[in-house]
Amino acid sequence: MGAQKSVHAGKAKIDVNVDFTHKLCAPMIFPSLRNTSSPLSLVIGSLCIKHPNLFGGSEKFDVSWDKGLYDSNILVAYRRPRPQWVAQQCFILQHSLSPEIGVHGIPVDNFSRSGSGGMNLSRLSVGLDLNEPASSKWSSTTSIKFENVRLLSDDGRSITRDLDGFPVTCSGNAHDSMVVLKQESRYVKANDRSFSQFTMQIEQGIPVLSKWLIFNRFKFVASKGIKLGPAFFLTSLTGGSIVGDMAPYQAFAIGGLGSVRGYGEGAVGSGRSCLVANTELTFPLEIQL
């Protein structure tokens, strides 16, 4: 079910997009990550509301809700108009819920897939994004946000320890709180025959209160792709490390697409630091029936 509607509010036009689908055959096609008994759990889709001129000064106000079979994301964003040569500001309120399978997942099908261990990561964040003016190949984003993270069971109850009795948060309580300053830079160069990409992220936990997490987390991804006739050669290098306070859900998980193929997410391992090199050569296949 999908619908698109424009509503006029004064001089502004509010765009509303709705798209929902009930996956009746999903349990038979996709192996379930968790036990679902409610019919609403099989509904996936999105809801998006956009106001292009909230206070009459071209301020943009967006509300979006995306729901999958096992995860959901609610985002409220407010953007003020600024000159193109200065950083663009965006105030954000976001809540996401997703299965935590990178660290607490249960390997199934001979480690080729990670099933749910009954833990779901609930993250509430409020803050500000600053998007620097992009050059021809470089782009940069700086953000500062307050985050509240907790682990929930499939029925919505807070979890403080995993199946082995270890704490699932850094504080040992039902939730972790932190103020995170994040810097992300990206370089992209592409043409018809090849592409190069480099992404670097640095996160710093700011000690506003003594009980809040203090850490420094660094991650980079470098990749290069070259077209070799009908084939495509791709190589990548991913690495990162975290110093200071670390909750289990912040660990680097190795395994899955973009990491080590043939293994589920986190099935190879997880920890404070990681370095993964990946090389692939793909060929197109034509199958005639």
Side-chain angles (χ1 to χ4, degrees):
M1 178 185 70
Q4 183 174 353
K5 178 71 174 179
S6 294
V7 180
H8 291 273
K11 296 182 179 180
K13 184 178 70 171
I14 303 176
D15 296 326
V16 181
N17 296 297
V18 182
D19 185 11
F20 285 98
T21 304
H22 191 241
K23 294 294 184 180
L24 295 176
C25 299
M28 295 181 290
I29 300 176
F30 303 102
S32 179
L33 288 174
R34 67 170 74 155
N35 295 324
T36 54
S37 57
S38 171
L40 294 178
S41 64
L42 299 180
V43 174
I44 66 172
S46 62
L47 170 65
C48 182
I49 302 174
K50 295 185 177 182
H51 196 303
N53 192 21
L54 186 61
F55 298 116
S58 299
E59 301 90 349
K60 296 181 180 180
F61 182 74
D62 301 338
V63 178
S64 63
W65 175 42
D66 296 295
K67 182 185 180 304
L69 286 175
Y70 312 112
D71 56 356
S72 67
N73 183 70
I74 299 174
L75 177 65
V76 180
Y78 170 72
R79 300 174 178 87
R80 294 187 301 179
R82 305 190 74 191
Q84 295 182 354
W85 59 86
V86 300
Q88 302 299 305
Q89 295 180 350
C90 181
F91 298 91
I92 290 178
L93 170 63
Q94 185 176 17
H95 178 266
S96 62
L97 180 67
S98 59
E100 206 300 283
I101 59 177
V103 176
H104 296 102
I106 299 177
V108 294
D109 297 339
N110 196 24
F111 291 90
S112 64
R113 185 170 61 88
S114 295
S116 173
M119 293 190 181
N120 304 281
L121 191 66
S122 173
R123 186 187 300 270
L124 174 66
S125 60
V126 181
L128 174 67
D129 280 351
L130 294 174
N131 295 301
E132 299 292 337
S135 64
S136 59
K137 299 180 178 65
W138 282 96
S139 62
S140 178
T141 301
T142 303
S143 66
I144 182 167
K145 296 178 182 178
F146 166 79
E147 296 186 359
N148 182 274
V149 182
R150 64 178 64 232
L151 276 296
L152 303 176
S153 64
D154 291 340
D155 56 6
R157 292 182 295 104
S158 294
I159 299 175
T160 58
R161 295 187 177 274
D162 60 17
L163 298 177
D164 297 319
F166 294 102
V168 296
T169 60
C170 181
S171 63
N173 300 322
H175 64 86
D176 284 331
S177 296
M178 65 197 88
V179 173
V180 180
L181 177 63
K182 181 178 179 180
Q183 170 71 37
E184 180 174 351
S185 300
R186 174 173 293 187
Y187 170 86
V188 178
K189 180 181 178 181
N191 54 45
D192 295 337
R193 302 291 302 176
S194 65
F195 81 90
S196 301
Q197 181 172 305
F198 177 77
T199 302
M200 181 177 63
Q201 297 177 356
I202 300 177
E203 296 178 82
Q204 177 65 57
I206 302 176
V208 178
L209 296 179
S210 59
K211 295 182 180 180
W212 292 5
L213 272 62
I214 306 173
F215 62 90
N216 182 273
R217 191 175 193 267
F218 168 79
K219 181 181 179 180
F220 74 90
V221 179
S223 57
K224 175 73 174 180
I226 303 175
K227 188 175 181 180
L228 302 175
F232 190 79
F233 175 79
L234 175 65
T235 182
S236 64
L237 181 66
T238 303
S241 184
I242 182 170
V243 178
D245 298 333
M246 188 192 78
Y249 53 81
Q250 292 179 309
F252 295 95
I254 302 177
L257 295 177
S259 178
V260 181
R261 288 184 181 270
Y263 290 86
E265 182 180 353
V268 176
S270 60
R272 279 185 175 268
S273 302
C274 77
L275 184 64
V276 179
N278 192 358
T279 300
E280 298 179 1
L281 185 63
T282 60
F283 295 88
L285 295 177
E286 294 184 3
I287 301 178
Q288 297 180 354
L289 299 178

